[in-house]
Amino acid sequence: MHDIKAIRDNPDAFDTGLARRGLPPMAGELLKIDSERRDHLQKLQDAQARRNAASKDIGEAMKQGDKARAESLKAEMGTIKDFIASGEAVERDLNQKIEAALAVIPNIPLDDVPDGKDETGNIEVRRWGERPRFEYEARQHFDIGEWLGLMDFEAAAKIAGARFVVMRGQLARMERALAQFMLDLQTGSNGYTEHYVPFMVNDAAVFGTNQLPKFAEDLFRTTDGRWLIPTAEVSLTNLVRESIVEEKNLPMRLTAYTPCFRAEAGAAGRDTRGMIRQHQFSKVELVSITTPEQSREELERMTGCAESVLQKLGLHYRVMRLCTGDMGFGSRMTYDLEVWLPGQNAFREISSCSVCGDFQARRMDARYKPADGKGTRFVHTLNGSGLAVGRTMVAILENYQNADGSVTIPEALRPYMGGADKITRP
RNA sequence: GGAAGGGUGGCCGAGUGGUUUAAGGCACACGCCUGGAACGCGUGCAUACGUGAAAGCGUAUCGAGGGUUCGAAUCCCUCCUCUUCCGCCA
């Protein structure tokens, strides 16, 4: 959510930022409503001031037993009262109009975000590791999983429908092992505090992290009006909603392992086979709450924390700085980690780390008290995957596949797999 | 699900229609005191919006939203939420 005052102070900068997102200028229209609102507010407040003064006089008159004076003052209040009643309604209306307009405008990219229309405009920042070589044409993860008899899309379709999976045996265990491994790494070495959070949340939470009002069709809604979280970012970030934290507690670094539920409304026909795009998947999420001064550097740190998972698992990947056209709604800058998938012969997104500035903090009213100086400031928020568990499993199956159909378990994961070094057909 | 009782500033807590301009306390900040501290004393200390160069001024906010009234923290209605007891339950 943008600050209308900032737009007022610098409408051109705002429109320039929107243009980088491929959007038309909006400052003029917003400021028109804003000035209408302020003009009206001034009149309303004058009327309220007169009412308050008169009420005081009436109280005084009553106290002195001057009934006649009190009655005449009351009579004078009639028209002001009407004006205030209708004026308050108008003010609410204008406020809502501005709020509604602001709520669907995306965040402004930072200066060092490259301009671009779509993912072809993204810039590769660095690359880690090397592609594994195969003597044969590398198989895709679903072929490997199904051959092993441990990955079953038909069973999932029978009980749930398309875009679900059933895993058995060592693959089911690997899901659990990866989660444990990632959480241990993020909490042990990377300084994040583990959380257990609700998987169903209310409107306010989903508004706070930008999924509402614009992206409701991407979410699942419960019969009692709640939402299934599409990412733990929602639950974790909203922990600071409507609160004021002490600066000494910043940065806050939060992590949680949760399922994520996505309707994938606009994804018909994309990644229909396999585990890449599911209605349900799990993820270890990273969230940082920082001061405005810390947030840019925290993005680099967070990205590094996500990368550390891939490095320990020995998975080849590249880091992409997303261009303006490929960035999410609330982001000011995003790094995607793309892991190499030999079966697809392509890099695929496995983590996305974004800094949102005060964009979400405004929506949530999340502030901090500076250590020196008075008042409060909005916090900055960041979120990133550390990592998506399902896609990590896909990457392991494809990168560690063997000619005989078995899959070698990366060394770092073996302690979590009961010491096993290989997944074989049972 | 049933019954009862709560929700007031960063925190605790008083306040049943009109100097409440939200008492008092804690915490915090500054000053005095001290060799330095504690104690004590004094002063300050909510948020948002509007206006203004600033000081300031105005308005709103006592869980949320409506209503009654010249005037609502206070009375009425609806909702949210917490606590306790009962019932059910992993």
Side-chain angles (χ1 to χ4, degrees), chain A residues 348-425:
Chain A
R348 292 301 303 260
E349 175 186 340
I350 197 167
S351 172
S352 188
C353 301
S354 300
V355 58
C356 299
D358 62 10
F359 193 78
Q360 295 180 325
R362 286 179 188 285
R363 295 168 92 95
M364 296 190 296
D365 192 22
R367 292 166 294 165
Y368 77 98
K369 211 177 210 7
D372 52 347
K374 299 206 163 188
T376 54
R377 300 172 76 194
F378 286 111
V379 298
H380 278 199
T381 61
L382 300 94
N383 63 81
S385 351
L387 306 165
V389 173
R391 289 190 180 181
T392 305
M393 186 179 313
V394 167
I396 290 173
L397 291 178
E398 296 198 6
N399 282 278
Y400 284 87
Q401 61 180 291
N402 300 312
D404 66 0
S406 68
V407 176
T408 303
I409 297 171
E411 252 178 75
L413 210 55
R414 291 179 192 170
Y416 296 92
M417 293 288 291
D421 59 0
K422 208 183 251 195
I423 297 177
T424 53
R425 197 164 167 168

Side-chain angles (χ1 to χ4, degrees), chain A residues 279-320:
Chain A
H279 286 309
Q280 171 189 319
F281 63 96
S282 54
K283 181 157 60 72
V284 171
E285 180 74 359
L286 307 174
V287 163
S288 293
I289 312 293
T290 74
T291 66
E293 289 72 24
Q294 295 166 333
S295 64
R296 182 61 186 80
E297 182 53 36
E298 183 72 7
L299 177 64
E300 302 298 323
R301 184 187 189 278
M302 176 180 275
T303 306
C305 292
E307 285 177 70
S308 69
V309 179
L310 290 170
Q311 291 175 8
K312 289 217 187 299
L313 292 173
L315 293 167
H316 175 50
Y317 69 90
R318 64 182 187 179
V319 181
M320 306 296 287

